[in-house]
Amino acid sequence: MIKKVLIANRGEIAVRIIRACREMGIETVAVYSQADKEALHTKLADEAVCIGPAPSKESYLSMERIISATVVTGADAIHPGFGFLSENSRFAQLCQQCSITFIGPDADVIARLGNKQEARNTMAAAGVPVIPGSEEAIYDAQTGLEAARAIGYPVIVKAALGGGGKGMRTAYTEEEFIQSFQTAQQEAEKAFGDGTMYIEHFVENPRHIEFQILADSFGHVIHLGERDCSIQRNHQKMIEESPSLALTDELREEMGQAAVRAAKAAGYVNAGTIEFLLEASGRYYFMEMNTRIQVEHPVTEWVTGIDLVKEQIRIASGKKLSYEQEDVHLSGHAIECRINAEDPKKDFRPSPGTITDMYLPGGKGIRIDSAIYSGYTIPPYYDSMVAKLIVWAKNRGEAINKMQSALGEVIIEGIDTNVDYQYEILNHPDYRSGNVDIGFIEKMQRCMV
Amino acid sequence: MKLDNMFKKTRLPKRKGAAAADTSGPEVPEGLLRKCNMCKAAIIAEDVKKGDYICPKCGGYFRMHAYKRIRSVADEGTFEEWDRGLTTRNPLQFKGYEEKLTSLQEKTGLDEAVTAGRARIGGEETALAVCDGRFLMASMGEVVGEKITRAVERATKEELPLIIFTCSGGARMQEGIVSLMQMAKTSAALKRHSDAGLLYITVLTDPTTGGVTASFAMLGDIILAEPGALIGFAGPRVITQTIGQKLPKGFQRSEFLLEHGFIDAIMERPQMKEVLSRLLSFHKNERSDTQKAQKLTNGIRQGLKIPPEMDQAKAWDRVLASRKKDRPVGRDYIGSLFTDFTEFHGDRYYGDDQAVIGGIAYFRGMPVTVIAQEKGRDTKENIQRNFGMPSPDGYRKALRLMRQAEKFHRPVICFVDTPGAFCGVEAEERGQGEAIARNLYEMSALKTPILSIVIGEGGSGGALAMAVADEVWMMENSIYSILSPEGFASILWRDSGKAKEAAEVMKLTAGDLYALGVVERVLAEPEELTAQEICSVTDPLADQIGEFLERYGDMDAEALVQHRYDRFRKM
């Protein structure tokens, strides 16, 4: 069993991991940059090692320094958290070379899943649905038409060298296709000097549905249900919940099985997440697999009653999973709101600074994972997420009410936060009725303007 | 709120025999990490290896082993080693020397501090020698001297170019005076290699000092250096001890040498192979066309007319036009007329004058040497390039490049654009007059065609020092004169305000000079000539240069020099 863990991260996730270790009787080592001398994770851990100057590249991303800190403190494992080095296969490999347990999957698994094309091929081979698309480059509209027919409408025509939305057109019917293809191709030739095109099924107004899986080193894989993360701004998730209104028990079963197959096909060990796009039609497509603990893991913890970080450590210690698939039941409804130090009125510009006063809510069914305290100065160098507010209730309606009540109690003085903005989202009739997709925030913003 | 020591920590029961060594703990395997000598950071050894032995953190250069260096520049599998296994006679019977060598040979797998042979770089055949600092700091004993000399001799015999990567602490103390003699021996062999018209490139790596700097390292036709390498004759420690002064930062580093005119360019490792291959290919000997029949066209001025509108503009308007801010400068002409321009720096004596740029380039596939007086495009550049007023170092750089062109049978094309040679104390201290005179003297007998084109101001001796050519051409709105109209007016009439009147009487326009027989051609310009529209003049100019090269390229050296002599003899 692991005896001492070095947490190669900062902020609330570092605190979260320290707490799990402490409960398990495992010693903890925090690493911190010069800007994080007063950070909560630095103060909370049993030991703390300064690993360099404020810029991440010279501290939280410096593999050599983190490995050195591990050796010096004699920690036998590293928990990478999320972000930073968590999905860096090179780092996982270095840990292995230095006889340090990396709490996550093997280096080569990370590498394989990090390669989009390879991940897609692996999933397709395992029978996990992927977005259908033309295998080969297409140069003329006629060939494109046949490909589009095979793929199924609507389709999107994309330039091989594309970017920034240029050389991209959608088509809903055969009549529309020729026109769309030609326009996109002309645009591509103009913008990139190349008219090589690809055609893909256009996933219209999907929801972001992801499945949490756990896999041990004995080939045993289970899924812990889904999280609906459709509330996103610029691909940044804001609110996550479990379960999703969009899934029937049958669909949950089917997608869960697909997620388990995906993990098995990848030879995955430890906690991971398979992200899908779900169409209103009920069709779903594999997007990518995240090979780390997720920010939004608490919602799954709450509806399943399983502590994911503790399971990660157990799996990394070579233990068998504590649960069988039959033991996993989703009960009630959990919602998480990310609280960021940012100013929604100024295009969500980060708002670092000193917290002069604060009050955070509590009570039944309310959980706060945070790294801030009164008098703490949020440094400008890192991610702006400073806390996560998670609530649980019997059903979605109650959970929303509880979240609103809790958000209403949050007081963080000295910096700007997105708390009021989150409150507005929860008030939105479409959100309340569950009528959302990944375009929700954009639509809401447009209405507000 | 201060949180220091506020939280309760995990308290574990003391492990039994905790003092006993816990063997299962983390451990960095030998060789996984290494330390950068420059920034002192721990770095992953593999990153260093994959990244050309450059520190991924600070960009500093690690010293490279000889065989690794060869692998990094030579085409795979093409290196054929020469003279491996030469051994020293231990000329001083130095105690323990042989044992020391044996142990180094075992440790490094090298036989001596230099490895020589033949290889292909980018497909080009070359002799190649590489010093390895692990072997007694690559000091030069008789084996190093002998291996270098043999490689040079063999390259001479087989008509191969030669590249040496230098690195050395200097002479080998254990071999005393015999070591000193290697300097003369290697230099003598290189002289013969050069006299045979063959190319020699040195690449100076950290450190190149002492007797190696003072012999084969500094004798390259082209001298490249890796960034930040220590290069000098006396080592910095010795200098400090001798003069009792602290040395300036960056003293004796590659950048310092570039500034002081001793190296042609600093080359980063990732570009090294490509650059060497380009230089080799550029100097490939194609002697077939130099023996072409001698056909001197006498009608040098035939069929060329002054553009009809030529006489309408006043001389003073031409003066103003020639000085216009947005008028194309030397670099614009180089960029428009030539391809693959590779700039070479320095005069090998004192400095690298930014007012003169020069190097090699292709003109329609033909290697040429290009030299231009350069004013710069904006105020910042004007200052950096001293407004196109060359110092003695600039003329000496130009002459060095012209001699190089002569050696490799490349025509020289000069672009003249200067208000005059730099007038200042430093210029006089370093011999401005001598430098100009030397250029007139040497250019008159340079055994390769020279074409000079006045593109802006042709200011006096400062212009002439780059215009002792087989033909001199002028852009329509350029001027060429004994001195500036302002200077003329102030000397003759003691009033520089009368520059306008002076311009009219000086006969300094292209049309005037053509009529006087000082220039052979006048090249028409559009009404407004700017750098953006340079093609309107360089397109027809390129055809005329092509014609010039055809005409003079075919002449034999004697006839060419005689023709140039006669050109000035009649003036």
Side-chain angles (χ1 to χ4, degrees):
Chain A
M1 187 71 192
I2 291 165
K3 299 192 188 79
K4 192 175 193 177
V5 171
L6 179 137
I7 297 103
N9 215 304
R10 65 180 301 282
E12 62 81 24
I13 191 63
V15 170
R16 163 78 185 91
I17 296 163
I18 292 169
R19 285 174 179 154
C21 289
R22 188 155 286 159
E23 289 170 39
M24 294 171 86
I26 296 170
E27 288 178 282
T28 53
V29 180
V31 291
Y32 64 97
S33 74
Q34 283 163 11
D36 273 345
K37 207 165 167 287
E38 300 299 326
L40 189 58
H41 76 283
T42 309
K43 299 293 175 197
L44 207 51
D46 299 324
E47 289 171 67
V49 181
C50 181
I51 50 166
S56 308
K57 203 167 161 270
E58 293 171 57
S59 48
Y60 299 107
L61 287 173
S62 171
M63 298 188 236
E64 300 90 333
R65 288 184 179 162
I66 290 171
I67 295 278
S68 301
T70 314
V71 173
V72 168
T73 54
D76 45 9
I78 290 179
H79 197 303
F82 49 68
F84 295 127
L85 295 169
S86 60
E87 290 180 284
N88 187 315
S89 60
R90 187 78 198 286
F91 181 61
Q93 191 199 351
L94 272 178
C95 288
Q96 197 200 341
Q97 285 173 312
C98 296
S99 314
I100 299 164
T101 303
F102 177 81
I103 302 176
D106 279 351
D108 54 330
V109 174
I110 298 177
R112 259 184 284 133
L113 290 168
N115 177 321
K116 267 194 184 326
Q117 194 54 46
E118 211 181 319
R120 185 188 143 99
N121 293 345
T122 309
M123 295 309 151
V128 179
V130 295
I131 298 171
S134 56
E135 296 292 319
E136 274 154 34
I138 291 172
Y139 302 96
D140 66 277
Q142 263 320 310
T143 321
L145 200 61
E146 282 161 38
R149 205 171 291 158
I151 288 165
Y153 287 94
V155 296
I156 182 160
V157 183
K158 284 179 176 173
L161 300 179
K166 281 218 177 79
M168 232 190 227
R169 281 287 181 289
T170 51
Y172 287 79
T173 59
E174 297 220 335
E175 291 70 46
E176 224 182 6
F177 179 81
I178 302 276
Q179 173 74 39
S180 295
F181 184 91
Q182 284 167 349
T183 316
Q185 195 173 34
Q186 279 161 12
E187 226 173 73
E189 276 164 359
K190 222 168 163 185
F192 318 113
D194 181 87
T196 310
M197 310 303 285
Y198 283 90
I199 301 171
E200 218 177 69
H201 173 67
F202 179 54
V203 186
E204 210 182 358
N205 304 330
R207 283 176 181 256
H208 176 117
I209 302 290
E210 57 185 34
F211 270 74
Q212 177 71 52
I213 63 102
L214 284 175
D216 65 19
S217 41
F218 303 92
H220 187 186
V221 185
I222 60 170
H223 76 83
L224 307 188
E226 79 281 8
R227 293 185 287 262
D228 189 328
C229 313
S230 301
I231 310 298
Q232 319 184 343
R233 198 185 67 83
N234 291 343
H235 304 287
Q236 289 286 320
K237 295 166 188 166
M238 296 184 74
I239 298 179
E240 303 95 345
E241 54 186 281
S242 183
S244 168
L245 278 192
L247 266 62
T248 59
D249 287 345
E250 292 73 37
L251 186 54
R252 178 169 302 113
E253 175 67 19
E254 190 191 327
M255 289 177 78
Q257 287 309 321
V260 167
R261 274 204 309 282
K264 281 186 171 161
Y268 200 87
V269 175
N270 215 290
T273 297
I274 292 110
E275 294 186 341
F276 294 106
L277 289 177
L278 174 67
E279 280 181 329
S281 64
R283 276 186 299 183
Y284 60 94
Y285 307 100
F286 169 81
M287 226 182 347
E288 63 175 350
M289 179 156 186
N290 296 319
T291 59
R292 53 169 155 82
I293 191 80
Q294 304 265 107
V295 175
E296 59 273 24
H297 74 276
V299 294
T300 298
E301 291 188 322
W302 223 333
V303 292
T304 60
I306 296 172
D307 187 314
L308 282 167
V309 175
K310 284 188 189 169
E311 280 307 310
Q312 280 195 295
I313 296 171
R314 290 175 45 81
I315 292 167
S317 299
K319 298 236 154 80
K320 281 189 178 165
L321 284 179
S322 330
Y323 306 88
E324 299 283 337
Q325 189 65 60
E326 301 84 78
D327 303 331
V328 180
H329 304 284
L330 307 190
S331 122
H333 199 97
I335 303 176
E336 172 185 278
C337 279
R338 300 188 185 193
I339 296 175
N340 299 337
E342 62 188 15
D343 186 354
K345 289 190 207 73
K346 290 181 182 150
D347 198 27
F348 297 87
R349 188 167 70 189
S351 172
T354 301
I355 295 166
T356 50
D357 256 314
M358 65 178 248
Y359 173 82
L360 295 177
K364 185 175 179 332
I366 290 177
R367 166 176 171 180
I368 286 173
D369 281 19
S370 100
I372 54 175
Y373 55 85
S374 190
Y376 174 65
T377 301
I378 299 162
Y381 308 102
Y382 314 105
D383 193 85
S384 60
M385 189 179 79
V386 294
K388 301 184 309 203
L389 176 52
I390 309 109
V391 301
W392 180 92
K394 281 204 306 296
N395 57 52
R396 189 168 186 268
E398 276 187 34
I400 293 174
N401 290 344
K402 195 184 280 276
M403 179 61 88
Q404 278 201 304
S405 164
L407 281 172
E409 284 184 41
V410 173
I411 297 171
I412 303 174
E413 295 283 297
I415 57 164
D416 292 308
T417 71
N418 63 343
V419 168
D420 291 346
Y421 191 86
Q422 293 278 31
Y423 194 92
E424 288 309 311
I425 297 174
L426 292 166
N427 253 348
H428 198 282
D430 279 346
Y431 178 78
R432 295 193 83 96
S433 66
N435 177 26
V436 297
D437 57 50
I438 57 172
F440 173 83
I441 293 286
E442 206 184 317
K443 269 176 263 166
M444 183 177 114
Q445 294 261 69
R446 247 180 291 148
C447 294
M448 279 161 65
V449 170
Chain B
M1 178 169 55
K2 279 276 173 211
L3 295 182
D4 292 324
N5 299 316
M6 300 276 274
F7 296 117
K8 290 204 166 54
K9 307 284 173 172
T10 310
R11 253 175 298 168
L12 294 179
K14 278 265 181 286
R15 279 182 237 161
K16 266 185 209 156
D22 191 348
T23 48
S24 65
E27 195 180 17
V28 179
E30 185 83 22
L32 183 76
L33 294 181
R34 64 185 295 180
K35 197 171 158 185
C36 170
N37 299 328
M38 289 141 286
C39 67
K40 311 289 176 208
I43 44 185
I44 299 167
E46 203 182 295
D47 288 350
V48 178
K49 220 163 152 183
K50 279 192 190 148
D52 289 305
Y53 295 87
I54 299 170
C55 172
K57 303 267 149 130
C58 73
Y61 277 43
F62 285 87
R63 289 177 190 162
M64 226 167 157
H65 299 178
Y67 288 102
K68 282 175 187 159
R69 174 80 73 177
I70 291 166
R71 268 200 300 280
S72 80
V73 294
D75 298 348
E76 208 182 326
T78 62
F79 183 68
E80 165 204 320
E81 190 168 348
W82 295 340
D83 304 308
R84 190 179 162 92
L86 281 187
T87 47
T88 175
R89 297 165 299 169
N90 191 2
L92 303 190
Q93 297 304 311
F94 198 88
K95 218 173 139 223
Y97 181 41
E98 275 146 17
E99 291 75 14
K100 172 100 190 155
L101 293 180
T102 312
S103 102
L104 272 170
Q105 281 160 349
E106 279 166 13
K107 201 172 137 199
T108 61
L110 297 164
D111 64 335
E112 248 291 349
V114 68
T115 302
R118 166 213 292 274
R120 278 204 299 275
I121 298 177
E124 308 292 343
E125 226 24 82
T126 183
L128 176 66
V130 181
C131 303
D132 194 317
R134 286 173 302 164
F135 206 95
L136 287 174
M137 205 51 246
S139 55
M140 179 157 65
E142 59 177 354
V143 174
V144 170
E146 185 64 20
K147 279 178 106 174
I148 296 267
T149 305
R150 286 193 193 185
V152 178
E153 285 173 347
R154 189 155 169 189
T156 312
K157 191 159 156 247
E158 296 180 20
E159 299 195 347
L160 285 175
L162 168 68
I163 297 172
I164 301 183
F165 282 85
T166 68
C167 160
S168 180
R172 189 168 293 175
M173 291 304 131
Q174 294 89 336
E175 296 190 23
I177 191 76
V178 176
S179 177
L180 188 70
M181 292 306 128
Q182 305 309 315
M183 294 166 65
K185 182 165 99 183
T186 50
S187 302
L190 284 165
K191 177 76 171 107
R192 293 191 172 188
H193 183 262
S194 179
D195 287 348
L198 297 166
L199 172 70
Y200 172 37
I201 301 173
T202 52
V203 184
L204 315 183
T205 73
D206 186 65
T208 295
T209 57
V212 165
T213 300
S215 61
F216 64 85
M218 280 294 164
L219 294 173
D221 294 301
I222 298 164
I223 303 180
L224 305 175
E226 289 198 326
L230 175 75
I231 304 160
F233 180 58
R237 210 176 43 207
V238 176
I239 300 177
T240 311
Q241 282 166 6
T242 310
I243 64 174
Q245 282 172 24
K246 219 173 148 229
L247 298 170
K249 201 163 173 265
F251 180 68
Q252 290 184 318
R253 296 285 161 185
S254 306
E255 297 71 18
F256 173 92
L257 269 89
L258 182 70
E259 200 187 317
H260 286 85
F262 292 103
I263 57 179
D264 282 294
I266 292 175
M267 209 50 69
E268 301 268 359
R269 245 174 227 171
Q271 279 80 49
M272 193 64 79
K273 178 172 182 172
E274 195 252 317
V275 167
L276 289 177
S277 119
R278 188 146 49 92
L279 291 174
L280 288 174
S281 148
F282 198 95
H283 288 82
K284 232 190 311 193
N285 256 340
E286 281 166 28
R287 291 190 179 161
S288 52
D289 58 350
T290 56
Q291 298 303 322
K292 273 185 196 162
Q294 177 189 339
K295 68 167 191 205
L296 170 58
T297 323
N298 281 320
I300 284 161
R301 297 177 64 179
Q302 72 192 7
L304 286 164
K305 290 203 186 83
I306 304 172
E309 65 276 25
M310 192 69 229
D311 295 318
Q312 292 162 11
K314 288 262 197 289
W316 181 246
D317 295 336
R318 305 265 185 212
V319 172
L320 295 180
S322 77
R323 295 171 178 175
K324 263 186 95 164
K325 272 251 169 236
D326 54 355
R327 192 171 171 82
V329 290
R331 260 190 314 148
D332 299 318
Y333 282 88
I334 295 176
S336 175
L337 288 164
F338 307 95
T339 53
D340 289 329
F341 176 66
T342 306
E343 188 175 357
F344 291 150
H345 295 271
D347 64 351
R348 299 278 201 275
Y349 295 112
Y350 179 83
D352 179 44
D353 186 2
Q354 305 279 309
V356 175
I357 54 176
I360 53 177
Y362 286 108
F363 175 79
R364 295 182 173 171
M366 179 197 216
V368 293
T369 286
V370 186
I371 305 167
Q373 288 168 333
E374 173 65 43
K375 286 180 174 173
R377 292 180 177 128
D378 51 46
T379 310
K380 198 175 149 217
E381 268 190 49
N382 293 154
I383 292 165
Q384 182 199 342
R385 301 195 179 276
N386 199 23
F387 296 87
M389 295 183 287
S391 296
D393 339 320
Y395 294 113
R396 289 176 184 138
K397 170 163 72 175
L399 183 58
R400 177 175 83 81
L401 296 177
M402 287 188 227
R403 284 203 178 115
Q404 192 186 70
E406 182 182 41
K407 172 175 171 182
F408 296 108
H409 310 285
R410 286 194 291 261
V412 177
I413 296 160
C414 295
F415 295 94
V416 175
D417 187 12
T418 179
F422 178 50
C423 166
V425 176
E426 315 90 296
E428 295 300 318
E429 280 173 346
R430 301 202 293 278
Q432 187 71 285
E434 193 279 341
I436 293 172
R438 184 69 50 195
N439 276 23
L440 310 182
Y441 181 77
E442 296 288 347
M443 286 175 82
S444 74
L446 201 77
K447 294 187 181 67
T448 198
I450 307 174
L451 169 65
S452 290
I453 305 167
V454 186
I455 56 171
E457 289 179 278
S460 191
L464 183 62
M466 274 178 50
V468 181
D470 301 304
E471 289 194 13
V472 178
W473 301 348
M474 288 181 77
M475 297 306 299
E476 184 186 332
N477 282 328
S478 67
I479 57 168
Y480 190 7
S481 59
I482 176 70
L483 82 171
S484 67
E486 289 83 354
F488 187 93
S490 113
I491 289 178
L492 222 54
W493 304 319
R494 295 178 188 277
D495 181 3
S496 65
K498 290 187 176 160
K500 202 169 166 181
E501 289 84 338
E504 304 300 328
V505 302
M506 282 175 77
K507 302 277 181 225
L508 46 60
T509 68
D512 293 335
L513 294 163
Y514 179 79
L516 282 171
V518 172
V519 302
E520 278 81 4
R521 285 186 195 203
V522 178
L523 305 152
E525 284 184 27
E527 207 156 302
E528 282 283 316
L529 178 58
T530 61
Q532 284 75 39
E533 286 138 40
I534 193 167
C535 286
S536 64
V537 294
T538 50
D539 284 350
L541 177 57
D543 289 336
Q544 302 191 40
I545 293 175
E547 192 198 313
F548 170 91
L549 294 175
E550 208 174 293
R551 203 140 30 90
Y552 288 89
D554 287 347
M555 283 168 72
D556 80 14
E558 296 300 318
L560 185 69
V561 169
Q562 187 60 44
H563 168 262
R564 199 179 303 140
Y565 184 83
D566 294 341
R567 185 181 183 279
F568 288 92
R569 180 67 184 80
K570 63 183 188 233
M571 289 185 187

